[in-house]
Amino acid sequence: MAGVIGAAVAATALIVSGLAAPATAADEELIVNGGFEAGLDGWFVNNGNGSDGGTLSIVSDAYAGASAVQITGRQTTGSGPMQDLSGKIQAGQTYSIKARVKYDNPSSPATKQFFATMHYGGSTYTNLASTTPARGQWGYINSTFTVPAGQSVATARLFIETPWTATPSSDPNTHLMDFVVDDVSLIGTPPPPPPSKTIEVVGKIPGEHNPLIGHKFGADGFGYAEDGRVYMFMTNDTQGYAPDPITGISPSINYGNINQITLISSEDLVNWTDHGEIQVAGPQGVAPFTGNSWAPGFAKKVVDGEEKYFLYYANGGGSSNVITGESPLGPWISERTSTLINGSTPGAEDVAWKFDPAPLVDKDGKNYLYFGGGPASTSLPAAERYNNPKNIRVIELEDDMVTTKGSAMVVDTPVSFEAAHVFEREGKYYLTYSSHFGGIDFGGNQTPLPGYPGGGQIPYMMSDSPTNFPKEKYVGVLFPNQSQFFGTGTGGNNHQSVFEFEGKYYFTYHAPTLNKRINGNTTQGYRSPHIQELAFNADGTIQQVVGTYAGVQQVRDFDPFRTFEAETFGWSKGIATQKVTNGSAQFGAEAPNLVVKDIDNGDWTALSSVDFGDAGAAEVTVKVKPLQAGGSISVRTGSETGPVVGTLPVTGAVGEWTELSADLSGATGTQDVFFTYSGGTGDLFELDTLSFTEADERSLDVTAEAASRCVAGKSVLTVKVTNGEDVPVTASVATAFGSKSVTVAAGKTVSNAFTTRLATVTAGAATVSASATVGGEALTGVVEAAYGAHSCG
């Protein structure tokens, strides 16, 4: 009683002093199907099924309700019904555990102890509570326990067992009896949900084309173009993004956590499709012997008559690797069981960072890989460590593209830090890279040689050979530091690539511009992909690139008359994407498929320069999964508040995918299209695909007929024009005997006579060209009126 009164007084004191009592999360039932009324849903056998551990079955001998679970055929004392609680409990928290247990074996002891036990992974088992019922009676486990503050709960599995003994099979009636369990309950506070990664601000402003996407991050972009589409492979900066729910600020980026590559693609360089993440490294990765995946490089090669795609990546700073795909979208496999570039790579011994791999398949069929970076060798003089650190290498690859050939060669890049990348144009090889910031790793306080780059810039070299890059091949700075263009909070080193697309060259780079729009000038290192067009001088040198939010021009209008992925954005607000198991409707069954999620009232997505044509779009169709009733999608032109050309109520069963369509009016010409989302509170629905149906070509309702008659022995041709429209029509009638222009009133017919001055005329046709404005739309039409031969002789 004294404790209760004391707590009440403390709470009152907080309120009186103007402070609210601290809120605590509500306790929840953490066990699924604890009464077994849903069969074995959520349950399995500890120590394996069948001959390994035992068998679970549903029985009617229940403590409450209609069902309980029985374990039979036990082989170990730990064999019993188990449920996985990983992710549901947290260290330092207290929980209430309850369960009913009974055994009936007449050969077993009169009483028997049973434990509720938690397995935290490995060899860590903790008995939480116990009961010792009499044979044939229900025992009651009813206790509380606290998970130790230092206990790892990455794995947490609860099960019911009998006390451990080393040789249970020596007396199975005592140690391995069958038993029944019912009404299992675990009450407590689950861990808070992970911070939402959904970016609520408009990170890519409508009308601007940089950064490329506004709903996630991506760095070290490597551009690759094929068959009218550009693919951008990037370090998945979003993987560690965890904004505080209150402040919206995430801890700074932790590169050590990144083991995925993000992939987007585009047909026009403005509307980008999100293909999600490739799980490259880590225990579940394509190459599980690697731990990280940064700074991707990409190439295609025909190997043994088979077209293959190769995705190279940095496995942290110490090595680089490659995985192989059937297309730029995968699926992916690892042909290697160890890293491609590492400490045993010939010629790379003095390279501190054996990362940032960038491939080049040369026009003569030879293959090269550029890599390296980091602190210069201490064996070099201090000035040379600064100006020519010799930390970049190039090595030839075998035809299989997954094996090195020979020894790596030095690339003497001035003031180099990392990010070597080579492309070829008109017989010249251009090596671009990122410059260092000085410091003790590069010889301390040194003076750069004249013309050499400053820190954090992208310089370049030119050569007639893909392997011959002495310091004399240095040309200058291709791209200054990005902070020069995007301001405070956007500095740091950079990483670039160059690709050719439909006759033009483009330069990719990154900058924390989206991070800046979220948090202001104090950014946390989360980077976003950018593209600028690359221009060359007559001598082949490159004009220095200027970074802009405007970005590049859209190379073609967007084609809406097809099924395309809803996760294709020119711009967006407040949404996120998520990979699902089924294949892509647009890219094929083997390609990854994503859906748009976290759609709340007021969110929107948009497409740039959609070409509806003169006829326009008659209908829009959406594959959608309602998450609550009452949501709707409005199709607008021009902006998120622009004219509505169609509205689609999101109906159908909640939680089920369905296709819905809506008529459109006014979706004509080429314009930006915005999909705005409205409804109640919380997530409204998810989107998979979109498509538009083209309207039939609209023409004027004008008809014509022609006939001949005789007047004073000569043939006269008469052409009648009938206007079926509700507005006047201007008609031009052309014949072999002259032309006339007339106005035909709504719903009327006008006759036009043409004197031939001939007694006999041959068969022919009159042509009527009509025009009018109907419903604000200028329409034209051409009809012909045939007539037969005629004689007045």
Side-chain angles (χ1 to χ4, degrees):
M1 179 66 72
V4 172
I5 293 173
V9 170
T12 303
L14 287 171
I15 295 170
V16 170
S17 66
L19 299 174
T24 57
D27 287 344
E28 298 179 12
E29 174 60 74
L30 304 179
I31 292 291
V32 174
N33 186 32
F36 303 95
E37 302 304 316
L40 295 177
D41 184 34
W43 294 93
F44 54 97
V45 177
N46 183 36
N47 291 335
N49 291 314
S51 60
D52 293 330
T55 302
L56 296 182
S57 58
I58 297 300
V59 296
S60 59
D61 182 14
Y63 176 81
S67 301
V69 68
Q70 184 179 44
I71 174 76
T72 58
R74 299 197 306 142
Q75 303 299 308
T76 69
T77 57
S79 299
M82 171 179 267
Q83 186 158 132
D84 191 353
L85 298 174
S86 301
K88 291 187 174 183
I89 65 173
Q90 51 186 324
Q93 293 294 311
T94 299
Y95 299 87
S96 298
I97 175 72
K98 296 181 181 180
R100 301 284 180 170
V101 60
K102 183 176 74 167
Y103 71 103
D104 291 319
N105 186 348
S107 301
S108 293
T111 62
K112 184 64 179 179
Q113 187 179 31
F114 291 85
F115 287 109
T117 301
M118 190 75 79
H119 181 205
Y120 291 113
S123 60
T124 305
Y125 293 85
T126 300
N127 296 134
L128 307 176
S130 72
T131 183
T132 307
R135 184 193 315 114
Q137 302 297 314
W138 284 101
Y140 186 28
I141 294 173
N142 183 9
S143 185
T144 61
F145 69 94
T146 300
V147 181
Q151 176 64 57
S152 170
V153 291
T155 297
R157 293 178 168 185
L158 175 71
F159 65 102
I160 308 298
E161 65 171 348
T162 53
W164 181 84
T165 183
T167 57
S169 59
S170 64
D171 189 355
N173 289 323
T174 299
H175 304 297
L176 299 177
M177 73 282 289
D178 301 343
F179 60 88
V180 178
V181 176
D182 200 5
D183 283 8
V184 185
S185 172
L186 186 72
I187 302 290
T189 303
S196 171
K197 294 178 183 286
T198 302
I199 296 169
E200 299 295 343
V201 304
V202 180
K204 181 183 180 184
I205 305 299
E208 297 179 347
H209 299 162
N210 277 331
L212 304 186
I213 50 177
H215 69 291
K216 61 168 58 174
F217 304 99
D220 309 322
F222 192 101
Y224 171 79
E226 178 178 275
D227 296 336
R229 180 169 288 271
V230 171
Y231 300 86
M232 184 75 72
F233 297 86
M234 302 174 291
T235 304
N236 181 20
D237 275 19
T238 311
Q239 193 166 5
Y241 181 64
D244 184 275
I246 304 300
T247 66
I249 298 175
S250 172
S252 294
I253 190 169
N254 182 350
Y255 303 107
N257 292 336
I258 300 176
N259 58 19
Q260 299 172 339
I261 296 296
T262 296
L263 175 58
I264 60 176
S265 74
S266 177
E267 298 168 316
D268 55 38
L269 301 183
V270 175
N271 298 297
W272 291 87
T273 301
D274 185 355
H275 298 289
E277 280 65 50
I278 305 167
Q279 186 63 59
V280 176
Q284 306 303 316
V286 179
F289 53 90
T290 58
N292 292 115
S293 56
W294 310 337
F298 193 79
K300 178 179 74 171
K301 184 73 183 286
V302 175
V303 179
D304 295 330
E306 180 183 356
E307 195 173 70
K308 290 185 175 183
Y309 297 82
F310 301 90
L311 177 57
Y312 299 82
Y313 63 96
N315 177 38
S319 62
S320 294
N321 197 48
V322 58
I323 59 175
T324 307
E326 296 179 14
S327 79
L329 300 178
W332 302 97
I333 62 169
S334 177
E335 296 184 35
R336 298 187 57 86
T337 57
S338 61
T339 52
L340 173 65
I341 302 292
N342 51 50
S344 64
T345 301
E349 295 84 359
D350 292 338
V351 177
W353 297 343
K354 299 171 179 64
F355 72 168
D356 288 3
L360 171 70
V361 177
D362 200 9
K363 55 189 177 183
D364 64 0
K366 291 186 176 180
N367 321 298
Y368 302 95
L369 191 70
Y370 303 82
F371 66 93
S377 171
T378 55
S379 65
L380 297 175
E384 190 172 358
R385 292 180 69 194
Y386 185 96
N387 286 292
N388 297 96
K390 297 179 176 59
N391 52 3
I392 303 296
R393 298 288 185 274
V394 55
I395 193 167
E396 191 172 349
L397 296 174
E398 297 282 5
D399 287 341
D400 63 8
M401 297 290 285
V402 298
T403 310
T404 61
K405 180 179 182 180
S407 181
M409 296 162 275
V410 173
V411 178
D412 195 0
T413 38
V415 197
S416 54
F417 190 43
E418 58 186 23
H421 170 74
V422 172
F423 68 97
E424 184 270 337
R425 174 185 178 270
E426 296 182 358
K428 296 291 185 182
Y429 295 87
Y430 297 78
L431 187 146
T432 64
Y433 60 96
S434 178
S435 59
H436 68 68
F437 293 88
I440 190 65
D441 287 336
F442 294 93
N445 187 19
Q446 300 294 320
T447 301
L449 293 175
Y452 274 18
Q457 299 183 332
I458 304 296
Y460 76 104
M461 307 171 79
M462 289 176 62
S463 176
D464 295 327
S465 164
T467 59
N468 182 31
F469 286 100
K471 60 186 177 182
E472 290 78 16
K473 300 295 184 180
Y474 175 76
V475 179
V477 172
L478 166 60
F479 185 66
N481 189 266
Q482 61 276 7
S483 61
Q484 176 175 320
F485 309 112
F486 302 109
T488 304
T490 63
N493 62 310
N494 215 318
H495 195 119
Q496 77 302 330
S497 78
V498 174
F499 65 91
E500 183 183 4
F501 185 52
E502 299 186 353
K504 292 185 177 181
Y505 285 82
Y506 295 91
F507 172 76
T508 77
Y509 62 102
H510 63 231
T513 46
L514 174 57
N515 195 174
K516 182 171 181 173
R517 279 175 169 157
I518 297 170
N519 296 136
N521 289 338
T522 303
T523 58
Q524 294 77 47
Y526 297 94
R527 303 156 296 176
S528 292
H530 292 233
I531 293 179
Q532 307 290 162
E533 189 174 338
L534 210 56
F536 295 83
N537 298 311
D539 62 357
T541 58
I542 306 173
Q543 297 177 17
Q544 193 170 101
V545 174
V546 174
T548 67
Y549 282 110
V552 299
Q553 292 184 345
Q554 187 165 335
V555 299
R556 62 173 55 82
D557 293 330
F558 187 86
D559 174 15
F561 300 121
R562 54 180 172 160
T563 298
F564 59 91
E565 298 298 336
E567 60 274 13
T568 303
F569 313 127
W571 309 282
S572 64
K573 175 187 179 295
I575 56 84
T577 57
Q578 176 176 289
K579 190 173 288 187
V580 292
T581 54
N582 56 300
S584 167
Q586 181 178 357
F587 298 97
E590 294 298 316
N593 185 37
L594 278 72
V595 297
V596 183
K597 68 167 191 172
D598 285 359
I599 299 173
D600 300 311
N601 182 58
D603 290 344
W604 52 262
T605 58
L607 295 167
S608 174
S609 296
V610 178
D611 183 8
F612 289 121
D614 294 337
E619 186 179 62
V620 62
T621 299
V622 178
K623 186 177 180 182
V624 59
K625 180 169 71 174
L627 300 179
Q628 58 174 279
S632 69
I633 302 171
S634 294
V635 183
R636 300 173 181 266
T637 56
S639 74
E640 71 273 22
T641 59
V644 176
V645 297
T647 299
L648 191 151
V650 178
T651 58
V654 171
E656 299 292 334
W657 286 103
T658 184
E659 283 196 353
L660 302 172
S661 299
D663 292 337
L664 301 176
S665 177
T668 58
T670 300
Q671 47 196 321
D672 298 337
V673 175
F674 287 72
F675 304 92
T676 60
Y677 310 119
S678 59
T681 302
D683 292 349
L684 303 176
F685 38 77
E686 295 178 355
L687 298 175
D688 190 0
T689 60
L690 296 162
S691 64
F692 289 86
T693 302
E694 192 170 8
D696 294 335
E697 190 72 33
R698 177 75 164 91
S699 59
L700 286 173
D701 183 7
V702 173
T703 58
E705 57 179 307
S708 298
R709 59 190 176 88
C710 293
V711 177
K714 304 296 184 184
S715 183
V716 175
L717 177 65
T718 301
V719 181
K720 293 182 180 180
V721 179
T722 300
N723 176 16
E725 299 287 351
D726 293 331
V727 297
V729 168
T730 299
S732 176
V733 184
T735 73
F737 312 105
S739 301
K740 292 183 180 181
S741 294
V742 295
T743 299
V744 185
K748 300 297 183 180
T749 298
V750 172
S751 295
N752 303 273
F754 297 88
T755 301
T756 68
R757 295 183 172 86
L758 299 172
T760 300
V761 295
T762 58
T767 300
V768 178
S769 301
S771 62
T773 299
V774 181
E777 182 181 0
L779 300 177
T780 60
V782 177
V783 294
E784 288 192 344
Y787 55 86
H790 183 255
S791 176
C792 295

